Amino acid sequence: MNNPSRTFLDRRFTLGRRAVSLAGVATCEDAALAPLSSFAPARDPADRIILHVDMDAFFASVEQRCAPGLDDKPVMVCGNTQARSVVAAANYLAREYGVKAGTPITTARRLCPHGVFLTGNPEKYVYTCIRLNDICRTFSPRVESFSIDESFLDITTTAHLFGGPIETAQALKARIRTELGLACSVGIGPNKLLAKTASKLEKPDGLTRLTRADIPTRYHTLPIAKLYGIGAQTAKKLEALGVRTIGHLAQVPHATLKRIFGIIGPMLVDAANGIDHSPIVTDDEQPDPKSVGNGYTLHADTRDTRKLLTVLLGLCSKVGRRLRKGGHAGRTVTLVVRYANYTTISRAHTLEAPIALDRDIFHAAAAIFDRVRRHMAIRYLGVSISKLVPTEAPRQLSLFDAQARTQLQAATRSADAIRDRYGEHALIPGRLVRCKEDI
Amino acid sequence: MATTEEFNQAIDVLTVFHNGAIRPVKIKWAGRTHTIHHIAYQWITRDGTHQVRHYAAALDSGSLCEIELHTHTMRWTLRKVQMDG
C-alpha cells in the first residue's frame, strides 16, 4: 500500500459521509466571472486550503428558526416524541443538562424535564442542507457534502477572490447567517482532517484555523479521543497504553501500533501527525454505495409475527425502491433484529442472482426472519442489501418463472413511475394500510 | 407552555407574487382573517414531480402556524398552529 494514511482517512471520511441526495448545480459565481489569469497557480496537493463547515445543533437550530419562541429553551429533536427513539439533536441549552444526540428520550426527559421535545422533519433539514451547499458552491466549485450538517470546501484556488482563507470563511459564515438564519462553526486547515478538527475547537459559531505550524501546540495537545476516526474503544485501548493526547500517539513507533491495531496502527500515527491526503469528493464524484438499507424502531416491543412481517414488508419496499432509484440490484440480504433487552443480531443470506424487486427482497428477508429466534419481544428491525451490481448488468434468467417475473417487473416499473409522479405514498402495499407504525 | 395542534385543513391565503417569490400575507381560517407578521422559515419538498412550499408563519396574534402551498393543485393547507397558552 503506497499511501496508508490516505486509505485510512479516505475510509474514515467515507464511513462518516451520510448519504444526502443533493440537487443543485456546482457554481462559483465569482470564480466563473474572474478571468482565467486571476486564478491562483497550481500548488502542491499537500498545500491545500480546506474549509470544514459544521452547522451548530443543526436540527434544533432549524426548529428554533421555525418557532422563534424557543430561542431561550432547551430544545431536543427526536424521530418521534411519543415513541421510544433517541434524541437526534439537542441545542446547546439542552446539552447543559447532559442531553446529547443519541440520548434515549426517556433519559432526556429525566435529565431535562422542562425541555421542549419536537418531532423532527427530515425534509426540512434536507432542504436546508441543499441551500447550505448552494451557498458553499458560490465560494468554491469543489464542495463535498459530508453529512446533512457538514460540508468541506476546497478553496485553494478561490480563496484569493475573497481576500484570503479567513475572509472567505467569514464571508461564508455571514451568508449562511443571513440567508438561512443559522450559525455554523468553520475550521480551516491544510487538509480535511485538520479542518474538521479545527471546526470543533470553538463551538458554537466559531472560526478556527489550524496550520501545520499549529500542530505541536494546538493539535498534539488535544485528548486522544478528539482525533477524528478514533472510536471510544480505540481511545480506551490507547489510554491503557499511556497514550492520552494526540501528541503522545504521534510519538509511538509504527511497529508498536501495528502489533496492537494491525494495519490501522501506522495510519493512526500519520493522522496524529496531521497527515491526510483524502480528496474532496463532490456530488458528481461520489462512489456508488456499497449497500442500501433501512431500519425501524417499533412503537412497542412485540412478538407478534404478523406485525413484524408487516414492518419487514414496509422496510423491504423502501429498500427496493431506493435500490431501483439508484439503478442497482444486490445479492446479499441482511436482517438486523434488536430484542427488547437491546441484544442485537444480524443474519445475512447471499443469493445466486442479484435482486431489486420488493417481493424478492421481502421473501429473502422473511426467510431469514423465520430462522431468527423469537424468544423475546423485538424492538427494532433493519434490512439491508449489499453486493450491489448495476441493474443493467447481465444476469442469469430463471427458466421456470420467466413470464411471471416479466409481469412483476413491469408492475414494479409502473408502480415506481406512479410514485415518481405522485409521491412515495401514492402507492403502498395493502398490508401497510392499516399498520399503525410510521413506516 | 406553547401547545401545537395539527389541523391539516384547506384554507384561503392572500398571497403576493413578487419578483419571482411567493409571500403569503393573510390567512382566512375558521371564519377569521389573520395577518402574517413575518415568515420565520420556509422550505420546499416534493410530492412526486410537484413542489410543495412550506412556510412557518408568525401571525400578528403571536401564534405560529405552518402552512403549505401545493404547486400542482394550487391549494393552501394549514398544517399546524402553535399557540402560547
Side-chain angles (χ1 to χ4, degrees):
Chain A
M1 206 162 295
N2 294 334
N3 193 340
S5 66
R6 176 177 179 144
T7 310
F8 167 68
L9 285 161
D10 274 356
R11 212 176 95 214
R12 286 294 166 197
F13 281 122
T14 305
L15 286 172
R17 189 182 299 126
R18 280 170 268 160
V20 181
S21 172
L22 297 176
V25 181
T27 58
C28 177
E29 290 162 3
D30 296 50
L33 291 171
L36 282 175
S37 56
S38 73
F39 278 84
R43 300 171 190 219
D44 184 332
D47 186 23
R48 295 181 292 167
I49 308 169
I50 306 293
L51 297 192
H52 178 247
V53 182
D54 191 358
M55 302 304 290
D56 297 327
F58 182 51
F59 300 166
S61 299
V62 171
E63 294 303 337
Q64 283 178 298
R65 279 280 294 149
C66 293
L70 299 176
D71 281 349
D72 55 352
K73 295 185 173 71
V75 175
M76 288 150 278
V77 177
C78 320
N80 183 338
T81 54
Q82 302 306 317
R84 300 144 335 128
S85 61
V86 295
V87 172
N91 72 352
Y92 287 90
L93 272 174
R95 291 181 200 186
E96 287 176 14
Y97 293 88
V99 180
K100 55 186 180 182
T103 304
I105 291 179
T106 44
T107 310
R109 285 193 194 281
R110 188 164 39 77
L111 291 170
C112 187
H114 59 290
V116 178
F117 291 80
L118 299 170
T119 300
N121 181 339
E123 289 179 325
K124 205 188 283 183
Y125 313 140
V126 168
Y127 176 74
T128 308
C129 172
I130 292 168
R131 296 267 322 270
L132 166 69
N133 285 300
D134 285 345
I135 294 170
C136 289
R137 285 189 200 94
T138 62
F139 290 88
S140 167
R142 304 285 308 159
V143 173
E144 175 177 337
S145 180
F146 186 58
S147 73
I148 197 161
D149 60 351
E150 291 175 80
S151 293
F152 286 105
L153 294 81
D154 186 339
I155 58 163
T156 311
T157 56
T158 55
H160 69 289
L161 297 169
F162 304 93
I166 299 276
E167 290 77 6
T168 306
Q170 284 169 335
L172 176 61
K173 277 170 67 75
R175 283 276 306 278
I176 292 169
R177 167 85 66 185
T178 308
E179 293 183 26
L180 302 179
L182 301 171
C184 65
S185 296
V186 175
I188 309 173
N191 55 44
K192 286 164 74 175
L193 174 70
L194 291 176
K196 187 166 169 60
T197 306
S199 70
K200 304 275 182 236
L201 292 181
E202 287 175 38
K203 269 189 145 302
D205 206 15
L207 169 52
T208 313
R209 186 174 190 180
L210 269 183
T211 63
R212 293 201 183 282
D214 294 323
I215 287 178
T217 52
R218 299 181 69 193
Y219 184 60
H220 280 168
T221 50
L222 294 172
I224 190 64
K226 296 272 183 192
L227 179 61
Y228 180 65
I230 295 264
Q233 293 304 319
T234 308
K236 261 188 197 169
K237 271 190 192 175
L238 287 167
E239 282 173 10
L241 292 169
V243 175
R244 298 192 190 287
T245 65
I246 295 176
H248 289 161
L249 180 61
Q251 290 164 7
V252 180
H254 278 206
T256 307
L257 285 173
K258 190 170 184 180
R259 200 176 60 243
I260 299 165
F261 294 101
I263 193 166
I264 205 174
M267 302 172 190
L268 289 173
V269 179
D270 285 345
N273 281 307
I275 298 168
D276 167 28
H277 301 292
S278 58
I280 296 285
V281 184
T282 64
D283 288 349
D284 296 339
E285 299 162 351
Q286 294 286 348
D288 281 344
K290 296 256 187 288
S291 67
V292 173
N294 273 89
Y296 182 75
T297 302
L298 293 136
H299 286 173
D301 302 340
T302 184
R303 297 177 74 166
D304 181 344
T305 302
R306 190 177 167 78
K307 185 174 187 176
L308 290 165
L309 283 173
T310 302
V311 169
L312 197 59
L313 176 66
L315 289 173
C316 291
S317 300
K318 279 189 172 180
V319 170
R321 174 86 170 123
R322 286 177 56 205
L323 264 181
R324 295 189 299 276
K325 260 188 170 179
H328 295 108
R331 283 179 57 213
T332 300
V333 178
T334 303
L335 176 72
V336 177
V337 175
R338 184 169 300 136
Y339 295 102
N341 66 354
Y342 283 85
T343 310
T344 306
I345 61 158
S346 172
R347 299 283 182 270
H349 179 65
T350 300
L351 304 154
E352 286 184 10
I355 55 173
L357 301 180
D358 303 355
R359 194 191 71 168
D360 293 341
I361 300 167
F362 177 63
H363 281 177
I368 301 171
F369 182 73
D370 277 345
R371 296 195 297 273
V372 167
R373 280 186 71 205
R374 294 198 285 282
H375 57 296
M376 192 187 295
I378 288 172
R379 176 185 175 86
Y380 168 94
L381 284 175
V383 177
S384 68
I385 188 153
S386 53
K387 292 203 175 155
L388 303 185
V389 294
T391 312
E392 61 270 17
R395 68 184 71 166
Q396 182 65 50
L397 296 173
S398 166
L399 290 172
F400 305 107
D401 60 352
Q403 191 184 352
R405 177 146 294 276
T406 306
Q407 287 173 344
L408 183 62
Q409 283 169 339
T412 304
R413 268 198 301 276
S414 300
D416 284 345
I418 290 170
R419 289 184 183 124
D420 284 343
R421 183 159 182 181
Y422 297 106
E424 293 303 316
H425 295 289
L427 272 182
I428 58 170
R431 197 166 169 169
L432 289 177
V433 172
R434 288 187 186 166
C435 179
K436 292 200 169 61
E437 302 286 344
D438 308 314
I439 190 159
Chain B
M1 191 69 184
T3 54
T4 302
E5 200 170 333
E6 291 204 13
F7 289 93
N8 299 322
Q9 285 177 2
I11 52 166
D12 291 332
V13 178
L14 183 65
T15 310
V16 173
F17 292 81
H18 177 66
N19 222 4
I22 301 170
R23 186 164 58 89
V25 179
K26 291 184 182 202
I27 66 171
K28 192 172 174 186
W29 167 57
R32 283 188 59 199
T33 301
H34 304 263
T35 303
I36 293 173
H37 183 266
H38 69 276
I39 298 298
Y41 205 69
Q42 53 184 296
W43 67 101
I44 298 170
T45 58
R46 299 205 81 84
D47 181 27
T49 52
H50 306 295
Q51 269 191 2
V52 182
R53 305 182 79 97
H54 306 256
Y55 300 86
L59 305 180
D60 267 354
S61 61
S63 300
L64 283 160
C65 67
E66 191 179 310
I67 56 176
E68 67 182 44
L69 172 67
H70 195 294
T71 57
H72 178 61
T73 61
M74 293 306 280
R75 286 205 170 104
W76 283 95
T77 306
L78 174 69
R79 284 289 168 215
K80 44 190 160 182
V81 179
Q82 183 187 302
M83 285 163 280
D84 290 326

